[in-house]
Amino acid sequence: MSIPSFSFLRHALLAAAVFGAAGFQAHAQVTPQRPPAAPAPGAPLDALTAAATNVGVKRCLPAISRLSALTVNGSTGNDVLVDWDRKNPDGGPFFSLSGVEYKNASLAFSLTAVPDSTGGCSVAAERISVAPFACRSIAQQELGGYQATQLLATFTVYVDARDPGASVTLIDSPPGCLIIRRHVEYDWKDPASRAPRR
């Protein structure tokens, strides 16, 4: 079974931010203490959404939940490490690193969500996997039409003008290829909370 692509981010969330606020305290949690509603029969628990809910994230929870649900879809299991500002869980940045297992593969999923002053969230997500193929062949088969920028001899970044904020990085790691699919979006707002147009 192939691992789902990261193109689901094309019309969704995400956003990068750099912060250095004084008094920021990070704490980690691997397994949520208060599980959410039970998943559908046969589906794994969405550990990232459960952990974010458990630590008190609210404003960015729709973004986190949407991306996490798409990532764990079709998986056989997942678990997560999270860091957050315990003094201000809903107003500070939320960081996570998930491990996701599929039938024949596994990947890491990194997600950062930061609430902003306008009521939205800046989100950055990275899906990190390894493929047992040469990076050149992956680029030829999956990244047609992308613009390539070679940063190092083994490190090439691909972007598509039709998908702003997204990039695919291929890193030669013989005999395979390290693949980092990244998407960034600022001021993402939950479509469900937007008032209908009149």
Side-chain angles (χ1 to χ4, degrees):
M1 179 182 115
S2 61
I3 298 173
S5 75
F6 208 53
S7 61
F8 61 76
L9 295 174
R10 183 162 294 169
H11 301 294
L13 331 165
L14 309 168
V18 177
F19 0 29
F24 176 79
Q25 295 181 351
H27 302 273
Q29 172 177 316
V30 175
T31 303
Q33 298 173 354
R34 189 182 68 232
L45 171 73
D46 180 349
L48 175 53
T49 296
T53 301
N54 189 54
V55 302
V57 174
K58 297 176 183 176
R59 283 191 286 170
C60 290
L61 188 62
I64 294 168
S65 181
R66 173 184 265 179
L67 286 175
S68 184
L70 290 167
T71 302
V72 303
N73 183 40
S75 68
T76 58
N78 65 98
D79 212 336
V80 65
L81 173 70
V82 300
D83 298 276
W84 73 99
D85 184 351
R86 183 163 285 181
K87 293 181 179 178
N88 188 18
D90 193 41
F94 175 85
F95 305 94
S96 69
L97 179 62
S98 298
V100 185
E101 296 178 338
Y102 297 87
K103 185 176 180 181
N104 297 315
S106 60
L107 61 83
F109 178 67
S110 174
L111 176 64
T112 297
V114 185
D116 58 35
S117 59
T118 65
C121 285
S122 291
V123 189
E126 292 182 339
R127 176 183 175 276
I128 305 163
S129 59
V130 176
F133 308 103
C135 289
R136 183 185 300 266
S137 67
I138 293 173
Q140 291 173 344
Q141 292 182 11
E142 298 185 17
L143 303 176
Y146 282 64
Q147 178 182 350
T149 301
Q150 190 164 348
L151 302 182
L152 298 171
T154 59
F155 188 105
T156 306
V157 178
Y158 297 82
V159 295
D160 184 347
R162 298 168 297 179
D163 194 3
S167 66
V168 180
T169 300
L170 302 183
I171 302 174
D172 290 299
S173 305
C177 181
L178 178 63
I179 305 168
I180 304 173
R181 298 182 184 267
R182 186 170 188 264
H183 195 102
V184 172
E185 187 172 328
Y186 295 92
D187 194 30
W188 180 87
K189 291 183 174 67
D190 183 6
S193 67
R194 294 176 183 165
R197 293 182 180 179
R198 295 179 180 179

